[in-house]
Each structure stands twice: as structure tokens, then as C-alpha cells.
Amino acid sequence: MRFSQRIGKKSIRTILQVESIDEDLMNGLWNVFLQSFFFKIKYSAWEANIYIDLWTEFYKQPIDEMPRYVNSQGNFEAVNQKDFIRYVRNWFYDVDWFEVYDFIEYVSLIDEKVNLEFAAACNLVLERELSGYRIISSKIIQITSEQELQAIEEAVSDTSIWKSVNEHLNTALTILADRKTSEYRICIKESISAVEALCKIITKDDSATLGKALAEIEKKHSLHEALKGAFTKIYGYTSDAGGIRHALLESSSLVGFEDAKFMLVSCSAFINYLKAKIQI
């Protein structure tokens, strides 16, 4: 993990790539295009048709300007693959982030013989590099909403009274931002621990469990019973033998990026709700 990520200097919007594509993600998507699409169609019977489709339908370029080989009589003979891919590459690395996704989506639809493998390979890269998008049914779908980003940003706002809460949330965010880790269990544990830390501050009881603290908050601040019950159950899940905190076997609980992000967002939103409710 880079220094800027470890000390929390990268914003949540940079970590979860929603309105940008960094170099690692760009290179990953380009490599997938080459390996899972371009090299798959090379020398195939439908190769020329796919090149023509991209050139005329996606790029909207005149077909007579398409990179091609011609015979001695000046007649079209074959697509010049080297010049074609150079054109695509120059365009790919020069356009805005959303146009890259336009391209990826178009390619995922262009040929059924390769699109499933291409989409799957893209999604692996999108998940690994923490993109806020996935390919679902050959469409680019946003999986990280503006509301989710705002919830996390508000929850981690630095205020001295919430220091212990912020420490847990920043630890969870740091783990989520580490693209080389799979310690999503710890991210989930830190997210729910942030809720627990907040409840201890509200009740002024450092020894209180989350369940006990929520029960007290319910009485004093009119906390909805359903909300209290939901987070009590989540805390129970993270604490039991098959849950996150005490999982002894990797197979006992399969936890991935989406699980960790969901828990971080949910806990952040609940923390924001409690702060507003008690108005400290």
C-alpha cells in the first residue's frame, strides 16, 4: 500500500474509483482487451467484420480510412492489425474515464463468442482495482453510489470527540483500499467496532458491549427498535464462532470486497444517524 493511502491522504472517491480511472485500472482494462478480445479474434473467420464494426459503429470513422493492406492493384485485402490496434490504443489512453467504459461496454456486446470471457476478465480487474463499476449482462453498472460515498466521507470526518470511532473507520477504509490484501474480515470487524466505539462514547460506558449500549440509547434517545435489533444481530454475526472476529477456518465464512464495502457503508450511515440523533 502506498504512503498516501496508509496515512489517509487519499479520498474515498479516489480509493473507490467512481469518477476516475487510475493508471493501474487503465492498464488492467487494456490488457484484458488485448488478451481476452483482440488476441481471441486475431486470425479468426469473423476478424475483419469485428474490426469494421468497431471502426464504423463505435468510432464512427469512414471505412475508406480504416487501416488496411491493399494489393498491387490497390484493392482492399486485409485489415492492418498493427495500425488498427495502435489507433485504438492511442484513443484509449487519451479519452475521459467514462469513454473508456463506453468502449469496454461496446466490446462486451460486439461478439457473443468472446464476450463472456471478456466480461469476466474485466470484472476481475474492476474488483481488484476498486472500481465503482461492474459489467452485468453486458452493461456497465455503477455499484458504488453517491450516497455511499457521502456516508463514508461524513462518518470519517475528523472530530476529537469521535477519535476512537474515526480510528476504526480509517482502519477499515485503509484495508479496503489495499488492493493486494484479502483481509476483508478485518475491514468488517473494524466497521462494526466503530459503531461500538460510538455507542460507548454516547453512553459514557467504556465497558459496555454494543448490545447493552444500544439498549440504553434506545431508551434515552428513542432509537427505533428495528435499527437496534439489526445492528445487534450484525454484531453477533461478527462475534460468533463462525463469524468474522473468531473465524478459525477460511471456509467458515467467505468474505469478499462487496461484503466489506457493504458493512463499511452501513456502519458509516448508522454512525451518521446516531450522531444526528443525539446531537452531540
Side-chain angles (χ1 to χ4, degrees):
M1 183 184 299
R2 295 182 180 179
F3 173 74
S4 57
Q5 292 175 320
R6 293 198 306 273
I7 64 172
K9 292 301 182 182
K10 279 200 170 183
S11 72
I12 181 62
R13 293 169 187 273
T14 302
I15 293 169
L16 297 175
Q17 301 188 62
V18 177
E19 296 183 357
S20 63
I21 294 179
D22 68 10
E23 185 178 1
D24 290 345
L25 177 53
M26 185 76 78
N27 289 339
L29 291 174
W30 177 251
N31 289 337
V32 168
F33 169 71
L34 290 181
Q35 295 173 328
S36 297
F37 184 81
F38 182 71
F39 295 152
K40 296 290 184 182
I41 66 170
K42 204 171 182 181
Y43 310 120
S44 64
W46 63 94
E47 173 191 6
N49 289 336
I50 291 177
Y51 289 146
I52 291 171
D53 189 313
L54 276 172
W55 187 259
T56 60
E57 300 302 319
F58 181 78
Y59 290 115
K60 305 293 184 181
Q61 294 297 313
I63 196 168
D64 59 334
E65 294 182 5
M66 184 177 176
R68 57 186 180 172
Y69 296 111
V70 295
N71 58 28
S72 57
Q73 286 75 42
N75 297 320
F76 173 84
E77 191 168 86
V79 174
N80 186 324
Q81 297 165 338
K82 183 177 180 180
D83 289 346
F84 187 91
I85 202 64
R86 183 185 295 118
Y87 176 92
V88 176
R89 190 184 196 283
N90 289 340
W91 176 91
F92 188 90
Y93 279 93
D94 188 54
V95 296
D96 289 321
W97 66 270
F98 47 84
E99 293 179 277
V100 171
Y101 283 126
D102 283 341
F103 178 77
I104 293 299
E105 184 177 80
Y106 190 86
V107 171
S108 73
L109 285 164
I110 200 170
D111 188 84
E112 63 181 6
K113 294 182 180 180
V114 295
N115 65 359
L116 290 178
E117 180 182 340
F118 175 75
C122 281
N123 280 336
L124 288 175
V125 171
L126 292 170
E127 179 174 355
R128 183 188 72 209
E129 302 302 338
L130 306 187
S131 168
Y133 303 87
R134 298 290 186 274
I135 300 178
I136 302 173
S137 298
S138 298
K139 294 290 184 182
I140 297 288
I141 303 297
Q142 185 170 345
I143 63 163
T144 302
S145 69
E146 178 67 19
Q147 290 75 16
E148 289 177 327
L149 296 172
Q150 289 176 353
I152 298 173
E153 288 174 335
E154 183 180 346
V156 298
S157 57
D158 188 21
T159 308
S160 58
I161 190 174
W162 312 121
K163 182 179 178 181
S164 59
V165 179
N166 293 339
E167 286 177 352
H168 285 297
L169 288 176
N170 279 314
T171 299
L173 189 55
T174 299
I175 293 168
L176 197 68
D178 187 352
R179 301 176 190 181
K180 293 181 174 62
T181 190
S182 58
E183 295 295 334
Y184 296 126
R185 300 162 186 271
I186 300 176
C187 178
I188 291 176
K189 178 185 77 69
E190 291 295 331
S191 297
I192 198 67
S193 293
V195 175
E196 186 176 34
L198 176 65
C199 290
K200 288 180 178 181
I201 293 172
I202 295 172
T203 59
K204 299 178 181 179
D205 184 355
D206 289 338
S207 64
T209 63
L210 180 59
K212 179 182 176 182
L214 284 174
E216 185 175 337
I217 294 170
E218 179 188 12
K219 294 177 183 178
K220 291 184 178 180
H221 301 281
S222 301
L223 177 65
H224 196 288
E225 185 177 354
L227 282 174
K228 184 201 77 170
F231 274 87
T232 299
K233 289 177 181 177
I234 288 174
Y235 181 76
Y237 161 67
T238 65
S239 300
D240 69 20
I244 305 304
R245 294 189 179 190
H246 303 297
L248 299 177
L249 299 174
E250 288 295 319
S251 59
S252 65
S253 181
L254 298 176
V255 178
F257 169 80
E258 298 302 333
D259 303 288
K261 190 193 78 168
F262 171 79
M263 189 65 75
L264 177 58
V265 171
S266 299
C267 290
S268 295
F270 188 58
I271 285 167
N272 296 333
Y273 167 79
L274 284 179
K275 287 179 181 178
K277 189 78 172 173
I278 62 174
Q279 296 181 337
I280 290 181

